[in-house]
Amino acid sequence: MNRRQFVLLTTFFSGISAVNNAAAQFNLGKALDAGKTLVESETLNDDDLRRYFDQMAADSDRRNRVAGSGDPYGQRLAKLTSGLEKHDGLALNYKVYLTPEINAFAMANGTIRVYSGLMDKFTDDEIRYVIGHEIGHVKSGHTKARIQTAMRTSALKSAASSAGGKTAALAESQLGELFSQVITAQHSQANERQADDYALGFMKKKKYPAVACVDALEKLDALGGGSASWLSTHPSPKERAKRLKAMV
């Protein structure tokens, strides 16, 4: 091998080494970044999570028609939730969305929203069951667990970064994605049983007729699909009604 061939061969292998080193550094960088965002999502404290939910709740309220204090729906819900602004160690806030959909949801920051379509179909005691059920989701930390998962497994994990000790503001597109993953995704059967058990205890403690839990679920089952969007997030009302009937 002459000197020119030796130089060319050395350059060739050096090039391969440089490429491999760059690839290794790139992959290591990605791994470190992924690990960093995973740690960030796992170490979000309750104040961080509350701020994210506050942003989500404010965005949802802007997107919907909210019943005012002079609206019959708003007045009815205010009457049904009187004294429940503080309950079981939770600070709760309630509003009605003026929409024909039959739905309700809760967030880990104490946000509870009830749709006027549901109020049209339900008696006062059946609405009390729904409220108790949604409080159960808050108390059991179901949406808190969901937001941590969303921060870990989606593009939203980048939003978990904090600047100057303050939780990062979420963009409008991120709020929509987070709402979809945390609020409008279907609850598991285990979560539903836990929230139903809480609602049953809530009704008994408040001396409301516990059978209203069963009545509400049977009514939801009879309504079926259509505008009953609560069914898409709170599954199997028939089985749940049967289970609660035995407990009542």
Side-chain angles (χ1 to χ4, degrees), residues 67-79 81 95-96 98 119:
S69 58
D71 185 279
Y73 288 106
Q75 292 173 344
R76 185 183 178 196
L77 187 64
K79 180 180 178 181
T81 58
K95 290 180 182 178
V96 178
L98 298 173
M119 298 180 73

Side-chain angles (χ1 to χ4, degrees), residues 3-246:
R3 178 177 178 79
R4 182 173 180 277
Q5 288 174 323
F6 176 78
V7 170
L8 289 173
L9 190 61
T10 301
T11 304
F12 173 75
F13 282 111
S14 297
I16 291 177
S17 177
V19 170
N20 287 338
N21 286 337
Q25 291 174 359
F26 174 75
N27 291 334
L28 178 61
K30 287 182 67 176
L32 290 173
D33 182 63
K36 179 174 179 287
T37 54
L38 174 61
V39 169
E40 286 171 342
S41 68
E42 290 293 353
T43 56
L44 287 172
N45 60 37
D46 287 343
D47 285 340
D48 292 328
L49 293 174
R50 179 181 53 78
R51 292 187 188 101
Y52 283 127
F53 278 111
D54 286 348
Q55 292 178 54
M56 290 169 59
D59 183 67
S60 180
D61 287 350
R62 282 193 299 269
R63 293 173 182 272
N64 289 276
R65 292 176 57 218
V66 178
S69 58
D71 185 279
Y73 288 106
Q75 292 173 344
R76 185 183 178 196
L77 187 64
K79 180 180 178 181
L80 293 174
T81 58
S82 178
L84 292 176
E85 296 80 9
K86 301 280 186 181
H87 180 76
D88 201 5
L90 301 171
L92 303 166
N93 69 90
Y94 309 87
K95 290 180 182 178
V96 178
Y97 285 171
L98 298 173
T99 169
E101 289 183 66
I102 299 171
N103 206 352
F105 67 82
M107 296 184 185
N109 64 342
T111 292
I112 294 179
R113 301 293 181 261
V114 182
Y115 291 28
S116 60
L118 183 143
M119 298 180 73
D120 288 336
K121 300 292 185 181
F122 279 19
T123 67
D124 285 355
D125 287 327
E126 290 165 355
I127 294 172
R128 288 185 173 108
Y129 152 73
V130 171
I131 291 167
H133 181 95
E134 296 303 332
I135 294 175
H137 281 309
V138 177
K139 187 66 179 179
S140 301
H142 295 157
T143 56
K144 177 180 177 181
R146 285 184 174 197
I147 197 172
Q148 289 171 321
T149 299
M151 291 294 184
R152 282 199 303 270
T153 61
S154 77
L156 289 163
K157 61 178 176 272
S158 62
S161 301
S162 299
K166 295 182 179 180
T167 304
L170 296 173
E172 186 174 333
S173 59
Q174 291 173 320
L175 287 169
E177 182 182 348
L178 199 58
F179 192 87
S180 175
Q181 293 190 34
V182 177
I183 305 302
T184 62
Q186 188 177 81
H187 282 287
S188 68
Q189 294 285 4
N191 283 4
E192 288 300 85
R193 286 193 295 270
Q194 197 170 9
D196 278 342
D197 288 347
Y198 187 95
L200 184 60
F202 168 82
M203 297 293 282
K204 290 179 176 179
K205 183 178 181 180
K206 293 293 184 181
K207 301 190 185 305
Y208 302 137
V211 71
C213 302
V214 178
D215 294 340
L217 287 169
E218 289 180 339
K219 188 174 290 186
L220 282 168
D221 181 61
L223 288 167
S227 62
S229 55
W230 205 62
L231 297 176
S232 66
T233 54
H234 299 72
S236 307
K238 185 175 182 178
E239 289 77 8
R240 290 161 53 203
K242 183 177 179 181
R243 175 177 173 270
L244 286 185
K245 184 179 286 187

